[in-house]
Amino acid sequence: MTAIRHHIPEPMLAAYATGTLPHAFSVVVAAHISLSEESRAVVEAHETVGGLVLEDACAAEVPVAMKTSVMAMLDDPIPETPSFHGSSPYPAPVMALLKGAEPRWKTLGMGVRQDILASDKHGSVRLLYIPPGQAVPDHGHNGLEMTLVLQGSFSDETGTFGVGDVEMADETLEHTPVAAPGSPCICLAATDARLRFNAFMPRLLQPIFRI
């Protein structure tokens, strides 16, 4: 695996450690830290600090036995579980949502496919399959989009993203991601708002594809 160059910003890792991230984004963070030792160490550091704060706050109020039990759980490190399920490109947090099965791909056109893994009022998380050399239609964002590469790579106006890299896209970014030649690009993407497509056909089909 090539070195991970694009990590999740520390404030978002801290929010994940404290359990305040929406579910869709938490899935992407969990998948990313299963691939990135650097980001996993940041999360563990924030969990340790949070545990110490909780210990100070509860010292005079919680029975000793209960406090000992809670602190023991907080002190447990993030399990060093295998990142991949056999030869699959899907990390354990993704396999949990897939329930151990293969993705149920639905075509979006031009060979691009998706599988919506979870969706609620706070956002959605999906797998995207992009054939080599294929572009995702030019689009902007009405909120935040996190895209983690699980297989292959893609490039856009901001750079190149390989396995383990995460692109953070907000309302300021208009881009046209293009999968690199070679292997299909498979990504895990989470959004908290619908994308803003510039071409007529993607806008027309957007309600059907829920993207």
Side-chain angles (χ1 to χ4, degrees):
M1 181 186 299
T2 58
I4 297 174
R5 296 176 297 171
H6 303 280
H7 295 268
I8 294 172
E10 184 170 349
M12 182 162 280
L13 294 176
Y16 172 82
T18 59
T20 57
L21 272 186
H23 177 254
F25 294 140
S26 292
V27 172
V28 177
V29 174
H32 174 69
I33 66 175
S34 75
L35 303 174
S36 168
E37 293 183 0
E38 179 179 331
S39 292
R40 183 164 63 246
V42 173
V43 170
E44 289 176 343
H46 280 285
E47 288 182 334
T48 299
V49 171
L52 293 174
V53 170
L54 178 62
E55 183 175 21
D56 289 341
C58 297
E61 303 172 10
V62 180
V64 174
M66 182 181 296
K67 186 183 75 172
T68 301
S69 175
V70 170
M71 296 311 302
M73 288 187 290
L74 287 171
D75 288 340
D76 286 341
I78 295 175
E80 294 288 345
T81 54
S83 297
F84 296 97
H85 184 78
S87 60
S88 165
Y90 309 116
V94 177
M95 291 303 301
L97 288 179
L98 289 170
K99 296 180 172 59
E102 290 297 314
R104 301 178 65 179
W105 297 115
K106 294 185 178 179
T107 183
L108 299 179
M110 303 298 291
V112 180
R113 294 179 276 174
Q114 74 168 354
D115 181 4
I116 300 176
L117 302 178
S119 181
D120 60 26
K121 65 181 181 179
H122 301 294
S124 64
V125 59
R126 70 195 69 223
L127 288 169
L128 293 171
Y129 175 103
I130 311 168
Q134 181 60 48
V136 174
D138 179 39
H139 64 275
H141 305 82
N142 292 306
L144 177 64
E145 180 181 41
M146 296 176 64
T147 304
L148 167 66
V149 179
L150 302 178
Q151 176 183 290
S153 65
F154 74 86
S155 298
D156 65 7
E157 290 78 353
T158 68
T160 299
F161 298 81
V163 173
D165 286 333
V166 178
E167 181 174 49
M168 308 291 294
D170 60 18
E171 295 93 336
T172 66
L173 179 62
E174 296 266 350
H175 62 159
T176 308
V178 180
S183 300
C185 183
I186 298 178
C187 298
L188 180 69
T191 55
D192 59 7
R194 296 291 175 92
L195 302 184
R196 190 174 64 248
F197 288 104
N198 295 320
F200 172 74
M201 190 58 67
R203 292 202 307 269
L204 181 66
L205 298 174
Q206 190 170 16
I208 299 172
F209 296 147
R210 299 162 57 196
I211 190 170

